[in-house]
Amino acid sequence: MFGFSPAEGAGSMTKQLCTHLRGHIENGTLSPGLRLPPTRRAAQELRIARNIVIEVYEQLTAEGYLVTRTGAGTYVADSIQTHLPVRQLPQQVTAAASSPVRPKEQWIDFDAGTPDLRHFPRKLWSQYLRDVTANEPEHVLDYGDCRGSGALREALVRYLFRVKGIRCSADQIIVTSGTSEGCLLLASAFSDLFRTVYVEEPTIGFIADIFRRLHYAVHPVEVDGHGMIVGQMDPSLPRGLLILTPSHQYPTGSILSIQRRQQAVRLAETCGHYILEDDYNSEFRHKGSPIPPLQLLAPTRVIYAGTFSKTLSPAVKLGFLLVPPDLVDRVLQTKADLNLSASGLTQLALSRFIEDGHFDRHIHKMRGIYRKRRIFLKEQVQRLFGGEVQVLGDEAGMHVQLAFRPEVYGAVDWKASEAFGVRLSSFDEYARHQGRYPGKIVLGYGKLSEEQIAEGLRRLHAFVQSAKSV
């Protein structure tokens, strides 16, 4: 964005981006009235946490460099005296300076959020959609039940009991278009009960963004190799919602230990908290038995959230909430008030897909594929990097954590790896405070073939050696 490239040893990312934008405004490169990119898009382009961009925009707005127009965006302010930039010689050589720069279409992207869509059962799925569209009564084309399709909710009741041991009724299940909508629904439904959420640190950013946008106070709680450190939470903290990924935390890959699960439940029962269990991909456990849901420990305090974005495809746009009985009416009324709904055709097709056993078969197939890729990736990492890096995280899901020696690689700008034709994520992109996780990155392998994994790791090795020598 506007030529920004962070430099090692030049201060925090927030400070550098502030200085960069401030300088371009002062020298006239960014002219008055220019609309800046939305914070989410800017964060994606810069591969940094969105909170950093928000903080920078707010800081420069406070200083008068930017103005915010409600509903329209953020703009460069008028009446700022400009001066010509002073020509300077380069002060620093980055690893990318001598890198084999590759065009974007040739990048190997270790994205951790997308499954392997090449194995999506297209023909079978399209048959179900065609059959539902052609043969079902007209009511499936209408807005449908606010709770979601009755057939899908009944199918989910049976699936949850068969696979996860969860006992519930169809009345407790509320179909959503995915986890994002589920969080938006809960944030709206709980707004008159409490205004505080507790999130894992680090974690994926969009959940906290949703609650922050609805004016909740967001409190990060540190994560280690056993999940959220629940013991850090003071019992005197305000009542709120604990958001956990107990079966496979992202990005660490850790499992919330039974001791901490019990701690979380006791804390919730004592302090009046509710817990949101985000179970985004526990089906893909590659070693040992599946991890039992946290919901089993406290059915009246835990809201269980599931999604089909990782198990089938993001394009299915379906998820669900399993809500404790005393909260069902509150959440349903909010859903009706917000007029949130998902495709009735897709819901009915999915219900039949599950009932006919195809969903179980697809999970079994993909679990084998992902297990094989994980093993291959670990072998290649060990071969290329040896003792320079640890592969961490539970044997599950579609990503691994790589922890490079912080004393050697702590200052590496991982975004610069793109010049070598490889894209990945550092822990700092999921952290509220930058610089706390030196040398830690995430590699997703779900959508990559073994050939792509091998080539991507070769490029990463070349980048790391180049960065190490700088």
Side-chain angles (χ1 to χ4, degrees):
M1 183 178 77
F2 306 130
F4 176 67
S5 180
E8 295 177 16
S12 68
M13 189 73 70
T14 302
K15 178 183 176 182
Q16 290 190 56
L17 184 54
C18 264
T19 301
H20 180 80
L21 293 177
R22 193 185 292 116
H24 278 306
I25 293 171
E26 290 177 349
N27 66 33
T29 304
L30 301 182
S31 57
L34 176 71
R35 185 175 187 272
L36 271 62
T39 56
R40 189 180 300 279
R41 196 179 81 207
Q44 291 172 344
E45 291 177 359
L46 296 173
R47 302 283 289 171
I48 62 176
R50 186 182 174 207
N51 290 342
I52 296 176
V53 182
I54 293 173
E55 186 176 349
V56 168
Y57 280 19
E58 289 176 346
Q59 176 66 30
L60 295 181
T61 299
E63 293 178 15
Y65 288 91
L66 303 177
V67 292
T68 300
R69 301 172 189 168
T70 304
T74 303
Y75 297 80
V76 176
D78 295 326
S79 305
I80 298 175
Q81 185 175 353
T82 60
H83 58 268
L84 293 176
V86 178
R87 184 176 181 84
Q88 294 180 330
L89 294 175
Q91 297 295 313
Q92 180 177 346
V93 178
T94 66
S98 58
S99 65
V101 179
R102 299 174 185 268
K104 190 177 252 186
E105 60 270 15
Q106 294 181 10
W107 286 357
I108 292 177
D109 189 352
F110 283 98
D111 169 46
T114 307
D116 192 336
L117 302 178
R118 291 167 295 190
H119 291 280
F120 180 77
R122 286 177 180 244
K123 291 183 179 179
L124 190 59
W125 181 253
S126 63
Q127 288 172 11
Y128 278 98
L129 281 177
R130 283 198 303 270
D131 182 61
V132 168
T133 305
N135 300 319
E136 284 300 308
E138 291 179 2
H139 68 80
V140 302
L141 302 174
D142 207 339
Y143 290 104
D145 192 330
C146 179
R147 295 169 296 180
S149 159
L152 178 57
R153 289 185 290 115
E154 292 287 354
L156 288 172
V157 166
R158 289 185 282 273
Y159 174 79
L160 289 171
F161 178 65
R162 183 179 75 252
V163 176
K164 301 177 186 293
I166 294 176
R167 295 178 182 271
C168 63
S169 74
D171 290 339
Q172 291 178 253
I173 292 181
I174 299 173
V175 178
T176 68
S177 64
T179 304
S180 293
E181 184 188 290
C183 288
L184 176 62
L185 179 57
L186 294 178
S188 301
F190 292 154
S191 60
D192 63 340
L193 291 179
F194 47 74
R195 283 287 182 171
T196 306
V197 293
Y198 302 92
V199 300
E200 297 163 331
E201 167 69 11
T203 191
I204 196 76
F206 75 86
I207 292 179
D209 287 344
I210 289 171
F211 283 90
R212 193 176 288 111
R213 184 175 288 272
L214 271 69
H215 308 295
Y216 280 74
V218 178
H219 290 265
V221 183
E222 191 175 350
V223 171
D224 63 13
H226 301 286
M228 179 187 278
I229 308 176
V230 181
Q232 287 185 350
M233 294 182 62
D234 188 335
S236 66
L237 288 169
R239 180 189 185 196
L241 182 68
L242 280 68
I243 303 176
L244 299 171
T245 51
S247 295
H248 194 229
Q249 202 274 336
Y250 187 87
T252 65
S254 62
I255 294 174
L256 189 66
S257 67
I258 182 58
Q259 294 86 352
R260 292 185 183 176
R261 289 172 185 243
Q262 292 170 344
Q263 271 186 303
V265 169
R266 285 196 300 270
L267 189 67
E269 292 173 342
T270 302
C271 302
H273 301 307
Y274 284 101
I275 299 171
L276 174 60
E277 178 177 10
D278 179 7
D279 192 11
Y280 65 100
N281 71 354
S282 68
E283 283 82 0
F284 299 133
R285 181 155 168 77
H286 310 315
K287 186 178 181 180
S289 302
I291 304 299
L294 178 61
Q295 193 270 353
L296 296 177
L297 294 181
T300 62
R301 305 307 302 182
V302 177
I303 303 158
Y304 180 92
T307 178
F308 294 92
S309 294
K310 304 296 186 290
T311 50
L312 278 175
S313 161
V316 172
K317 298 298 288 182
L318 286 177
F320 64 93
L321 297 174
L322 169 56
V323 181
D326 64 318
L327 296 176
V328 169
D329 288 344
R330 169 183 289 271
V331 178
L332 272 179
Q333 185 59 56
T334 304
K335 193 171 190 283
D337 291 344
L338 295 176
N339 194 29
L340 298 174
S341 62
S343 165
L345 295 173
T346 308
Q347 290 183 62
L348 195 52
L350 179 59
S351 69
R352 295 182 179 181
F353 189 80
I354 294 172
E355 294 285 67
D356 291 346
H358 297 301
F359 184 63
D360 284 12
R361 284 190 280 275
H362 181 70
I363 292 295
H364 179 75
K365 173 184 175 181
M366 299 311 298
R367 188 186 296 127
I369 290 172
Y370 295 146
R371 181 191 299 118
K372 184 180 177 184
R373 288 180 188 169
R374 184 185 181 91
I375 293 170
F376 179 79
L377 185 147
K378 289 181 66 175
E379 290 173 346
Q380 294 300 306
V381 167
Q382 291 165 359
R383 181 181 66 82
L384 287 168
F385 297 97
E388 295 289 290
V389 66
Q390 287 182 288
V391 181
L392 302 176
D394 184 57
E395 300 280 346
M398 300 182 290
H399 78 273
V400 298
Q401 173 194 162
L402 295 192
F404 286 86
R405 291 165 54 197
E407 70 275 14
V408 179
Y409 303 99
V412 170
D413 173 16
W414 295 101
K415 187 177 184 302
S417 64
E418 294 176 359
F420 285 72
V422 60
R423 168 173 275 183
L424 49 84
S425 298
S426 69
F427 268 42
D428 275 349
E429 295 178 44
Y430 305 104
R432 186 167 183 174
H433 302 292
Q434 302 300 291
R436 295 189 61 188
Y437 306 96
K440 291 191 174 184
I441 63 173
V442 187
L443 295 185
Y445 51 83
K447 67 177 185 178
L448 300 178
S449 66
E450 289 188 3
E451 292 76 15
Q452 290 172 315
I453 291 171
E455 175 59 25
L457 289 174
R458 282 193 291 269
R459 296 180 187 182
L460 177 60
H461 183 262
F463 163 71
V464 166
Q465 294 304 307
S466 176
K468 181 179 178 181
S469 65
V470 171

